[in-house]
Amino acid sequence: MTNRIDTRLADLRKQGRAAFVTFLMAGDPDPATSLAIVEALPEAGADIIEIGMPFTDPMADGPAIQAAGLRALKGGMTLRKTLDLVRGFRAGDDHTPIVLMGYYNPIYIYGVETFLADAKAAGVDGLIIVDLPPEEDEELCLPAMAAGLNFIRLATPTTDDKRLPAVLANTSGFVYYVSITGITGAAAANAARVGEAVARIKRHTRLPVCVGFGIRTPDAARDIAGAADGAVVGTALVEALAKSLDAGSRATPATVKAVADLTASLAQGVRAAARAAG
Amino acid sequence: MTIQKPNSFRSGPDERGHFGMFGGRFVAETLMPLILDLEKAYAEAKADPAFQREMNGYLKDYVGRPSPLYFAQRLTEHLGGAKIYLKREELNHTGSHKVNNVLGQIMVARRMGKQRIIAETGAGQHGVATATLCARFGLDCVVYMGAVDVARQEPNVIRMEMLGAKVVPVQSGTRTLKDAMNEALRDWVTNVHDTFYCIGTVAGPHPYPMMVRDFQSIIGVETRAQMQEAEGRLPDSLIACIGGGSNAMGLFHPFLDDPSVEIFGVEAAGHGLDKLHAASLTGGRPGVLHGNRTYLLMDADGQIQDAHSISAGLDYPGIGPEHSWLHETGRVTYLSATDEEALSAFQLLSRLEGIIPALESAHAIARVIDLAPKRPKDHLMVVNLSGRGDKDVPQVGDILKSRKTT
């Protein structure tokens, strides 16, 4: 089945460059600003947009993304409103892939089948659910694939060759390689080691491999983009957003621009990469 | 939903860690390989007589087991009904049942070659037990504790530091036990190569709920033998307090297939079930958090809600998955006790028996106060006195003093 993610990654492959994947939290700091930010991302150079689904207990996230989730929840964000955000974005952009990323409980409480139908209808293309390893595929992964959504799996430095086939078995869209053992925003990724890991994963799959965690600057984005099919940046964008807020954590006239500007400079980094992965 | 009654209540979990629909392994991929390693290491240890022998030696000479089963004569006379026995887990080294589990996990960690141990703690009892055994075996120890709990359980913080552990106050979220667990998971995901996560209760991803239950089951195994010796028969009822539920599971599990034994778990009703509380079974519904599916306190969007209990050890919005299953199958009856009821029970037991219970255990005593009078005098009731109240003396003292002056 062809979908926006496959199409976009195939196009970029033809252009000979890696994808730039951005992550921001839905509803951070409020639903209207969040929509304006997401709408500004494609023009600023984002190829694939990941949108975080806020959760009170984000066990794999560092302080910046934890705070973003809490700001969004404080602003009244819910999973239903996250789908509204995607629908709002889709009204003006039918091409840029949207991937929702987060934790399972809000989806489980929404109801898996209803959620998948509503997400598909809203224009969501894929899901990344941090706390659903292959051992729990029956929960959401298999139903999501049946509903025509990509289920993008995280592979990590601890996912060895013995385990990779299990991790890749029901993965689609792309593989998200977590470049460090750790939480989001913690440490910097080493491009050489990332290159080896990407090569190792590619021995097991033909899916594109995008790399995230620890990429904060245009130079780092360039290095990683040279070693993989895509580079994901989250914490740095979330921090730029946070820095633009007023003392009460409310959006200011500078907020959308702060995120768009950093997106543009990171995108330049990605586009400057010598294409290595293939 | 109709739940089919199983042939045995003691056969769970299945190989994927499920107790009925509860349990499972809902963790980040980074942790999954280690969890599979742990499952294997634990299975090997369990089958190794040398492991059991070594553990039994430490349980006897270091922990001080068996803990007595004590006939609480004055409490029994005061309530005028069932004959009440206290399982004295508070007499264990470190002052609570927590040490039973920590000893087992630390021995598994040593078999796995892990040098660094992390733990979460609410009241600090699990943290103290972990710090103690890390000192005994020369392991590095980091304990995550919500900043609110650091303030209200200061004696335990001092103890952990004296034992050489590093106590990290957790400032995120509600700054209590669930946030300490989040932070411990973040540490684990970061330091997975050399770190063993010593979970303090019968929750978390498989195999933790099973493994912790197995290590705590010594409470029920001893109680069976001791009651046999004292009265020549099984007890008629069991009562224990429940946060995550490890002391309760340890007492209950060996009796689950004895239908004549009534079993009661007591959750923390905090300010009241219509206000802030920590009674996940009474006030929650099934969801997924901290590696397992279980009953949780949450809002309509699946966001986890703040729990509240006067007792830091019960202040958690979830419960072990096996309890969720025992609740749905109806084998165990889950009740609750408020902060006020626990405070009264705390004082009653102190004055009648000369035993100051932990505020956690006082929740179980609070329900004994209504259940015992309704039972005949030949009814044998066992209460798990899971911990001693020394750690709570400053907090309870302040509360009582403030009432006298106002």
Side-chain angles (χ1 to χ4, degrees):
Chain A
M1 195 180 330
T2 316
N3 59 35
R4 294 187 193 94
I5 296 175
D6 298 339
T7 306
R8 174 60 51 95
L9 287 166
D11 284 353
L12 293 174
R13 180 183 286 261
K14 269 185 227 146
Q15 293 172 36
R17 73 169 176 90
F20 177 40
V21 185
T22 57
F23 171 94
L24 285 145
M25 186 63 74
D28 178 22
D30 63 77
T33 308
S34 184
L35 177 59
I37 290 171
V38 176
E39 285 176 338
L41 292 172
E43 201 182 309
D47 298 307
I48 295 175
I49 297 174
E50 284 179 17
I51 296 178
M53 297 175 280
F55 183 49
T56 38
D57 293 79
M59 283 109 55
D61 285 302
I65 294 179
Q66 290 174 39
L70 293 179
R71 282 195 298 272
L73 290 172
K74 210 173 151 202
M77 206 59 187
T78 61
L79 186 50
R80 202 167 292 280
K81 289 183 188 167
T82 299
L83 296 179
D84 291 342
L85 173 73
V86 176
R87 205 172 296 115
F89 173 81
R90 276 283 168 252
D93 183 325
D94 198 31
H95 298 289
T96 307
I98 297 275
V99 175
L100 295 184
M101 181 165 184
Y103 298 81
Y104 183 41
N105 196 54
I107 294 173
Y108 179 67
I109 295 307
Y110 192 104
V112 165
E113 291 303 329
T114 319
F115 170 77
L116 291 173
D118 290 356
K120 182 80 184 163
V124 173
D125 301 293
L127 301 173
I128 302 176
I129 308 299
V130 176
D131 52 355
L132 285 178
E135 282 72 7
E136 302 291 349
D137 269 358
E138 287 156 26
E139 294 284 335
L140 183 66
C141 171
L142 300 179
M145 289 172 75
L149 289 170
N150 284 134
F151 198 83
I152 295 150
R153 192 93 67 186
L154 303 171
T156 74
T158 60
T159 314
D160 60 16
D161 281 322
K162 205 172 75 201
R163 186 168 165 78
L164 262 176
V167 169
L168 297 167
N170 292 316
T171 302
S172 61
F174 59 90
V175 180
Y176 186 136
Y177 180 66
V178 175
S179 62
I180 53 162
T181 57
I183 53 177
T184 52
N190 173 312
R193 207 176 300 163
V194 166
E196 288 164 27
V198 170
R200 182 167 71 85
I201 294 168
K202 281 179 172 287
R203 285 200 291 274
H204 294 268
T205 181
R206 303 180 66 160
L207 286 171
V209 180
C210 295
V211 175
F213 282 43
I215 306 171
R216 310 179 66 96
T217 63
D219 284 353
R222 182 196 62 213
D223 293 348
I224 297 296
D229 300 304
V232 189
V233 178
T235 297
L237 291 169
V238 168
E239 282 174 354
L241 185 157
K243 224 185 276 175
S244 76
L245 303 176
D246 70 14
S249 288
R250 286 175 299 256
T252 65
T255 298
V256 176
K257 188 171 183 305
V259 178
D261 285 355
L262 180 58
T263 300
S265 66
L266 289 160
Q268 275 178 10
V270 171
R271 283 157 209 247
R275 177 83 180 161
Chain B
M1 197 179 345
T2 16
I3 303 288
Q4 212 188 334
K5 299 276 182 220
N7 293 327
S8 166
F9 288 96
R10 304 183 64 224
S11 58
D14 67 18
E15 71 284 0
R16 294 167 61 206
H18 293 125
F19 302 92
M21 69 177 283
F22 301 102
R25 287 177 288 207
F26 296 89
V27 295
E29 170 61 23
T30 311
L31 297 177
M32 210 45 233
L34 184 69
I35 282 172
L36 295 172
D37 284 352
L38 171 61
E39 191 182 341
K40 190 162 161 271
Y42 174 57
E44 285 166 9
K46 202 173 171 178
D48 180 356
F51 177 85
Q52 294 296 342
R53 221 170 18 247
E54 192 186 357
M55 192 160 73
N56 290 341
Y58 287 117
L59 283 172
K60 176 171 171 284
D61 299 326
Y62 191 72
V63 176
R65 301 205 71 93
S67 70
L69 183 69
Y70 163 74
F71 170 47
Q73 191 188 345
R74 293 197 69 215
L75 182 65
T76 299
E77 286 167 2
H78 177 79
L79 296 174
K83 192 168 180 186
I84 301 161
Y85 280 86
L86 304 178
K87 179 62 174 164
R88 304 284 307 272
E89 290 298 302
E90 100 283 8
L91 292 178
N92 294 336
H93 182 40
T94 75
S96 80
H97 71 291
K98 292 291 186 186
V99 69
N100 304 328
N101 161 49
V102 173
L103 172 66
Q105 287 198 51
I106 294 295
M107 288 181 51
V108 173
R110 276 159 52 85
R111 280 173 81 98
M112 295 176 78
K114 303 286 182 185
Q115 269 300 313
R116 181 173 178 270
I117 307 295
I118 57 170
E120 85 294 337
T121 199
Q125 292 302 94
H126 175 60
V128 166
T130 307
T132 298
L133 282 152
C134 286
R136 170 62 185 77
F137 289 108
L139 302 167
D140 293 337
C141 181
V142 178
V143 178
Y144 290 93
M145 188 167 184
V148 169
D149 296 337
V150 167
R152 64 177 158 174
Q153 301 279 283
E154 198 192 0
N156 274 344
V157 176
I158 297 168
R159 285 167 81 193
M160 286 185 271
E161 287 173 346
M162 271 176 190
L163 292 159
K166 183 177 165 207
V167 179
V168 182
V170 175
Q171 300 290 353
S172 61
T174 53
R175 298 181 294 149
T176 58
L177 183 52
K178 94 175 161 77
D179 308 287
M181 195 149 184
N182 288 334
E183 215 53 41
L185 284 163
R186 290 180 187 123
D187 178 312
W188 201 23
V189 116
T190 306
N191 299 297
V192 65
H193 59 285
D194 69 349
T195 297
F196 185 97
Y197 182 13
C198 183
I199 296 184
T201 191
V202 285
H206 178 66
Y208 281 98
M210 168 183 79
M211 179 170 70
V212 176
R213 173 199 76 197
D214 291 351
F215 291 139
Q216 291 294 3
S217 290
I218 190 162
I219 302 172
V221 168
E222 284 176 7
T223 299
R224 244 186 131 85
Q226 289 165 325
M227 189 58 96
Q228 197 67 39
E229 194 173 331
E231 300 278 354
R233 64 183 183 90
L234 289 176
D236 299 302
S237 60
L238 308 172
I239 303 182
C241 67
I242 299 193
S246 70
N247 90 81
M249 192 56 70
L251 176 63
F252 298 170
H253 195 260
F255 294 98
L256 290 176
D257 285 336
D258 297 293
S260 69
V261 182
E262 273 186 293
I263 306 183
F264 300 96
V266 184
E267 296 189 288
H271 295 312
L273 291 173
D274 54 345
K275 304 190 183 77
L276 272 179
H277 63 85
S280 341
L281 289 177
T282 315
R285 60 208 163 106
V288 174
L289 180 71
H290 292 156
N292 59 152
R293 178 172 12 238
T294 193
Y295 272 72
L296 299 170
L297 300 179
M298 56 190 154
D299 69 11
D301 190 43
Q303 305 297 338
I304 307 305
Q305 284 178 324
D306 293 358
H308 164 77
S309 169
I310 190 172
S311 135
L314 306 182
D315 200 345
Y316 180 68
I319 185 167
E322 193 166 7
H323 283 295
S324 291
W325 179 72
L326 291 169
H327 169 65
E328 290 215 337
T329 54
R331 176 63 187 98
V332 175
T333 303
Y334 291 89
L335 308 169
S336 62
T338 63
D339 290 353
E340 279 306 316
E341 291 171 322
L343 266 177
S344 306
F346 180 96
Q347 296 171 78
L348 185 74
L349 192 72
S350 301
R351 293 193 185 165
L352 284 179
E353 295 290 347
I355 296 171
I356 300 178
L359 274 174
E360 289 76 13
S361 321
H363 285 72
I365 304 290
R367 286 288 72 83
V368 169
I369 292 172
D370 351 292
L371 290 170
K374 295 181 191 137
R375 301 287 186 281
K377 287 191 188 322
D378 61 352
H379 179 104
L380 304 177
M381 182 175 277
V382 176
V383 193
N384 200 4
L385 201 65
S386 56
R388 59 174 170 247
D390 308 33
K391 68 186 175 63
D392 299 312
V393 164
Q395 186 194 0
V396 174
D398 285 350
I399 293 170
L400 298 180
K401 206 186 300 168
S402 75
R403 288 182 184 178
K404 263 185 211 146
T405 54
T406 52

